[in-house]
């Protein structure tokens, strides 16, 4: 089991793939490296694929502290690259991972060749903070089941509920196994996220994708990112909600591959 001891914490990571270009995937809020299962086979022929669990996720350490700051998570990703001897890589971040990727681009610009931001936030606005508060209240009132039910319309499109509803029992089981106190510490780190004042300082080819039914990180946030980052491009995925790695893994992977060759 590949573990890196960094700054007094253990970080779990995985490396796979037959390609020569390093591609690092940054997890969403409650994800782990296992959440990329549908996309990994699509990406491994083209890339040297690097996945990691951020602090509080999956098999990395769930150190108890008030919050897991986004800059610290970005520095941990850089430490994994150092450990693997990789000078520069392409980063694709989904949701929370996109926020970490923005901080990675700001703090470690020399490590980044390309940046793909999927379903993410330029800043944690009042609506996002209310959504997070509702999830925490649901967990206190009804545990993992109620929390899962409350989160569903934020995460998935209308199409998903009719075409892929058979996935819901497995997703409920996975959600029940999440270390929710650690997720609350991850959320606490998100609450202070606001990249709007420094987006124009980022100097890396950037592509942004968002589902047209994404209610959690809506189109206006994607447009803020596009307007703020010089030269950034934006594509809207029709019929997709927020959880692109589950709803639209093929389209998500195709965007990653096409942008690598752009």
């Amino acid at each position: 089991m590949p573990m890196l001891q960094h700054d007094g914490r253990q970080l779990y990571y995985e490396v796979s793939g037959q390609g020569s270009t390093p591609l690092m995937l940054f997890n969403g809020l409650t994800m782990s490296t296992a959440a990329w299962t549908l996309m990994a086979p699509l990406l491994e022929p083209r890339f040297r694929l690097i996945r990691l669990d951020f602090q509080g996720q999956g098999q990395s350490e769930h150190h108890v502290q008030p919050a897991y700051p986004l800059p610290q998570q970005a520095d941990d990703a850089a430490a994994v690259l150092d450990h693997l001897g990789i000078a520069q890589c392409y980063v694709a971040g989904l949701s929370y991972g996109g926020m970490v990727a923005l901080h990675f681009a700001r703090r470690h610009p020399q490590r980044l060749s390309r940046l793909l931001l999927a379903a993410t936030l330029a800043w944690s606005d009042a609506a996002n903070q209310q959504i997070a508060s509702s999830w925490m209240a649901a967990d206190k009132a009804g545990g993992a089941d109620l929390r899962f039910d409350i989160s569903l319309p934020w995460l998935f499109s209308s199409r998903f509920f009719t075409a892929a509803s058979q996935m819901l029992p497995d997703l409920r089981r996975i959600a029940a196994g999440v270390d929710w106190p650690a997720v609350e510490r991850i959320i606490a780190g998100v609450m202070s996220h606001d990249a709007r004042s420094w987006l124009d300082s980022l100097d890396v080819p950037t592509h942004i994708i968002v589902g047209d039914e994404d209610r959690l990180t809506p189109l206006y946030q994607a447009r803020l990112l596009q307007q703020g980052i010089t030269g950034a491009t934006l594509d809207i995925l029709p019929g997709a909600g927020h959880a692109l790695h589950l709803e639209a893994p093929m389209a998500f992977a195709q965007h990653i591959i096409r942008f690598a060759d752009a």
Side-chain angles (χ1 to χ4, degrees):
M1 187 168 65
M3 285 283 190
L4 169 64
Q5 189 76 20
H6 171 65
D7 202 19
R9 303 183 307 278
Q10 284 193 323
L11 300 172
Y12 175 79
Y13 68 93
E14 299 175 7
V15 181
S16 62
Q18 298 78 53
S20 59
T21 301
L23 169 66
M24 208 169 199
L25 299 177
F26 282 7
N27 297 340
L29 191 76
T30 61
M31 288 169 59
S32 71
T33 58
W36 299 100
T37 298
L38 296 178
M39 289 182 59
L42 304 172
L43 298 170
E44 285 169 339
R46 176 67 171 75
F47 299 103
R48 183 184 181 193
L49 199 59
I50 305 153
R51 288 168 280 177
L52 77 153
D53 289 333
F54 291 119
Q55 188 180 181
Q57 293 184 333
Q59 299 180 69
S60 286
E61 189 165 358
H62 297 197
H63 182 69
V64 177
Q65 60 190 68
Y68 298 139
L70 292 168
Q72 184 181 76
Q73 305 280 43
D75 291 349
D76 286 351
V80 171
L81 292 180
D82 289 340
H83 177 69
L84 295 173
I86 296 172
Q88 193 176 65
C89 73
Y90 175 4
V91 168
L94 172 62
S95 189
Y96 175 76
M99 289 179 262
V100 177
L102 288 168
H103 288 266
F104 184 89
R106 187 187 192 195
R107 296 170 69 83
H108 305 281
Q110 74 284 359
R111 312 303 298 269
L112 195 57
S113 61
R114 289 185 180 274
L115 177 63
L116 188 140
L117 303 171
T120 196
L121 296 173
W123 68 302
S124 181
D125 62 11
N128 183 66
Q129 296 186 21
Q130 287 295 321
I131 293 166
S133 295
S134 74
W135 290 354
M136 290 186 279
D139 185 76
K140 287 181 173 63
D145 275 343
L146 181 58
R147 186 183 76 232
F148 180 77
D149 291 338
I150 291 293
S151 71
L152 283 177
W154 296 109
L155 299 179
F156 298 107
S157 69
S158 301
R159 182 181 63 177
F160 178 87
F161 291 113
T162 57
S165 59
Q166 72 278 6
M167 294 176 65
L168 291 178
D170 284 340
L171 294 176
R172 183 182 294 276
R173 177 182 52 79
I174 292 168
V178 167
D179 179 354
W180 185 250
V183 173
E184 289 191 338
R185 296 191 286 271
I186 293 172
I187 291 172
V190 171
M191 292 301 97
S192 60
H193 173 62
D194 189 348
R196 291 173 298 170
S197 66
W198 47 264
L199 288 174
D200 62 356
S201 72
L202 303 184
D203 185 19
V204 60
T206 302
H207 184 55
I208 302 153
I209 61 173
V210 64
D212 69 353
E213 285 197 40
D214 190 335
R215 298 169 178 85
L216 186 60
T217 55
L219 180 57
Y220 101 88
Q221 289 274 359
R223 286 186 169 137
L224 283 175
L225 292 168
Q226 183 191 21
Q227 292 160 9
I229 302 172
T230 302
T233 54
L234 169 64
D235 275 322
I236 301 167
L237 279 59
H242 180 72
L244 296 176
H245 65 302
L246 296 176
E247 278 208 52
M250 179 69 75
F252 191 177
Q254 286 173 342
H255 276 275
I256 290 173
I257 293 166
R258 282 201 297 266
F259 189 53
D261 298 326

